[in-house]
Amino acid sequence: MQNIKSLKIINIIFIILINTFFIENIDAVELPTFEVGNSLVKIGEEIEVPIAIKNNVGFSVIGMKIDFDENSLTYIDGEMLGFENFSMKDLAINDSNIISFYAISFNEVYTNNQNLLLLKFKVNEDAIDNDINLDVTDYATSELETLEYQVINGRITVTNSKEEQNDNNKTETKTSEEDNSKSVIDRRIEKVKTGKKIYYNLENNHKLESSNTDIAVINEDNTITFNKTGEVEIVETNEYGEIVNTKQYNVIKKRPIIYIIMILILLVFILIIKIIYNKNKKSKNSKNLH
């Protein structure tokens, strides 16, 4: 009877270990992420910069402040997306050139993962590469329960600065192949583990840029090191600053525990075999005595 109970307990432990081994390691839920879009721009053109949310857990109160380089960009207007049923909302710019946005609802919950705002700018004559910085002042439920989040700011890259325009003698003519080239966007999200390093085979004068340097770092030897969990986009640009390729990665945690689990499973197997062997041996000895 004691052996049967022991076998049942071992079977339960064995099932738990098997499930732990075969079920994919579940990482901590990704934080809601507010992300400002990156843009490659030319002097004098009008651009739209999106502000999006990912991993949204649902909110009824939202507030933001957007700071931009007024010497490089001139704000034209903006559009709120998906807030039709929110009772209080506004998107405006103040005298300090800070764009402010808020939306409040007492009976609606915003659960979508999409662009929240589209901001329209004109690129100034003296524009240089600059950042658009987002400050989320409020992100809460209708009960004013504050929610955790993270922010990824945007980067505006000017491809024809004033200095480049005045330096016509150094301007190189693009080949027809380059003129007809189109950027390649890999929409698949590839999973990689933290600590992994991958190598990109880049053409001459091509560069890589990471949308979040906390997650993925571009090294001098054209390798990418993934340091922490989260989603990150790697953008490849040519010598003219044009995007030729983008690839998205979902960085997950390492699983060194898998080796420990394998050893535990092996030990459980050995233990089960030993118990069955001892049981059979006792049974034979008992019969011999009778």
Side-chain angles (χ1 to χ4, degrees):
M1 190 70 178
Q2 185 67 30
N3 285 336
I4 294 174
K5 287 183 178 179
S6 298
L7 280 173
K8 285 182 177 179
I9 293 171
I10 291 171
N11 283 336
I12 291 171
I13 296 172
F14 179 71
I15 290 169
I16 293 172
L17 288 172
I18 287 291
N19 287 336
T20 306
F21 178 72
F22 284 105
I23 294 176
E24 184 177 356
N25 184 39
I26 300 174
D27 295 316
V29 177
E30 293 292 340
L31 283 176
T33 302
F34 295 91
E35 184 171 359
V36 183
N38 298 316
S39 295
L40 288 170
V41 304
K42 294 181 179 180
I43 287 175
E45 74 173 335
E46 294 184 357
I47 61 169
E48 284 188 336
V49 177
I51 296 180
I53 186 169
K54 298 178 181 178
N55 306 316
N56 183 19
V57 296
F59 64 86
S60 297
V61 178
I62 187 75
M64 298 178 182
K65 289 183 179 179
I66 302 102
D67 186 17
F68 63 95
D69 180 7
E70 58 188 280
N71 294 319
S72 295
L73 301 173
T74 299
Y75 178 69
I76 299 175
D77 59 29
E79 180 182 0
M80 296 177 280
L81 305 174
F83 293 95
E84 293 80 7
N85 297 324
F86 273 56
S87 52
M88 301 173 64
K89 56 195 173 186
D90 188 37
L91 175 61
I93 187 169
N94 62 22
D95 294 337
S96 300
N97 276 326
I98 302 293
I99 301 169
S100 61
F101 160 70
Y102 73 87
I104 301 172
S105 176
F106 301 104
N107 52 17
E108 292 287 333
V109 179
Y110 196 110
T111 58
N112 295 337
N113 289 291
Q114 63 176 41
N115 290 338
L116 302 175
L117 303 175
L118 277 179
L119 305 178
K120 193 172 183 179
F121 297 92
K122 182 176 180 180
V123 183
N124 297 339
E125 289 293 324
D126 296 321
I128 58 174
D129 296 353
N130 61 96
D131 294 328
I132 295 182
N133 299 310
L134 175 64
D135 177 21
V136 179
T137 56
D138 296 287
Y139 179 53
T141 64
S142 56
E143 290 80 18
L144 297 183
E145 176 189 357
T146 302
L147 303 168
E148 292 186 3
Y149 61 88
Q150 61 182 352
V151 172
I152 300 175
N153 291 318
R155 181 71 173 167
I156 303 297
T157 304
V158 182
T159 61
N160 62 336
S161 64
K162 194 169 183 179
E163 290 77 7
E164 289 175 335
Q165 287 179 327
N166 293 333
D167 195 11
N168 293 327
N169 293 331
K170 294 183 180 180
T171 302
E172 296 180 2
T173 305
K174 299 180 184 179
T175 64
S176 59
E177 181 180 351
E178 288 171 329
D179 288 334
N180 296 327
S181 65
K182 294 182 179 179
S183 61
V184 178
I185 300 176
D186 191 343
R187 299 190 183 281
R188 296 170 301 171
I189 299 179
E190 183 177 332
K191 284 188 176 181
V192 295
K193 293 179 182 178
T194 53
K196 183 175 181 180
K197 180 183 283 190
I198 64 172
Y199 176 75
Y200 258 73
N201 186 18
L202 293 179
E203 296 182 22
N204 290 337
N205 299 321
H206 282 212
K207 295 181 180 179
L208 294 177
E209 183 177 347
S210 169
S211 64
N212 189 328
T213 53
D214 289 335
I215 297 175
V217 175
I218 311 298
N219 304 311
E220 292 182 358
D221 59 352
N222 294 331
T223 58
I224 303 171
T225 304
F226 298 95
N227 293 321
K228 60 185 291 189
T229 58
E231 288 192 359
V232 64
E233 184 177 72
I234 303 299
V235 178
E236 178 184 351
T237 57
N238 61 21
E239 58 188 304
Y240 303 103
E242 298 169 330
I243 296 177
V244 295
N245 188 29
T246 64
K247 192 170 181 63
Q248 300 179 58
Y249 294 92
N250 181 20
V251 187
I252 60 176
K253 294 180 180 177
K254 290 181 180 178
R255 291 193 292 169
I257 194 172
I258 193 169
Y259 301 108
I260 299 174
I261 293 172
M262 291 174 67
I263 294 172
L264 289 175
I265 291 174
L266 181 61
L267 290 175
V268 170
F269 265 121
I270 294 171
L271 185 60
I272 291 173
I273 292 171
K274 186 175 180 180
I275 290 173
I276 293 173
Y277 172 78
N278 290 337
K279 182 181 177 182
N280 290 336
K281 187 176 180 180
K282 287 181 180 180
S283 179
K284 287 180 180 180
N285 291 337
S286 178
K287 287 182 181 179
N288 292 333
L289 290 174
H290 289 291

